[in-house]
Amino acid sequence: MVLTHIHIAPTHGSQVVGLNEVEAVAGAGLVGDRNFGREREVTLVCSGELALAAAELGIGLVIPGSTRRNLTLDVGELPRSTGTRIQIGDVEMEVRRDCSPCENMETAVGPGARAALVGRAGISARVVVGGSLRVGDPVKIGGESTLP
């Protein structure tokens, strides 16, 4: 299980930018991203759930970044339980909530994408332990929550 893609959008509605590395700041999110310092610090999506959506849509794949999520993980599925720990390299995050697909998915991914991505559009998480995230970093899911 590894981090395969990093994307940020500098402002709301701007194009996503693919990166090889980004700094994650505890309690704030990803440096340079539109959600830095907001409740929705970091968004994650995974290859396994995107593959299920692509199959349902009858397309080869959902292009990483088209869902506007920050991090794409090469895992089968993401945890949806609040407080579940996700470690990527030295960075630790906790799941906050499921992310619902928005209307933009119909344009960015294709017709029917919003429905195909329900329960597969990723999660939002908060950064608990900051550090550098790099494409290729190992991913570990599970562990104790520190949420109250």
Side-chain angles (χ1 to χ4, degrees):
M1 298 189 297
V2 299
L3 172 62
T4 59
H5 296 84
I6 300 170
H7 291 92
I8 63 168
T11 60
H12 180 73
S14 66
Q15 292 286 87
V16 294
V17 177
L19 303 171
N20 288 319
E21 183 175 345
V22 70
E23 193 68 20
V25 178
L30 304 181
V31 173
D33 187 62
R34 69 195 179 280
N35 290 319
F36 188 79
R38 297 185 176 179
E39 183 179 342
R40 189 176 180 171
E41 293 178 16
V42 181
T43 55
L44 300 89
V45 70
C46 72
S47 59
E49 293 172 351
L50 292 180
L52 291 172
E56 189 173 310
L57 292 167
I59 60 175
L61 79 141
V62 175
I63 297 169
S66 64
T67 60
R68 301 185 60 80
R69 303 303 183 233
N70 298 126
L71 307 177
T72 304
L73 308 181
D74 184 22
V75 300
E77 65 181 333
L78 292 171
R80 299 292 196 288
S81 298
T82 301
T84 301
R85 285 287 182 118
I86 299 174
Q87 183 170 344
I88 305 171
D90 295 328
V91 175
E92 292 183 37
M93 300 180 197
E94 285 184 339
V95 174
R96 292 188 68 86
R97 65 178 177 84
D98 186 64
C99 290
S100 299
C102 67
E103 298 226 7
N104 293 337
M105 301 297 168
E106 296 292 311
T107 304
V109 177
R114 188 172 186 186
L117 286 164
V118 169
R120 302 172 180 148
I123 58 173
S124 68
R126 75 178 181 107
V127 180
V128 178
V129 176
S132 293
L133 290 168
R134 294 173 192 83
V135 169
D137 278 349
V139 173
K140 179 183 174 192
I141 296 176
E144 303 245 344
S145 171
T146 61
L147 287 177

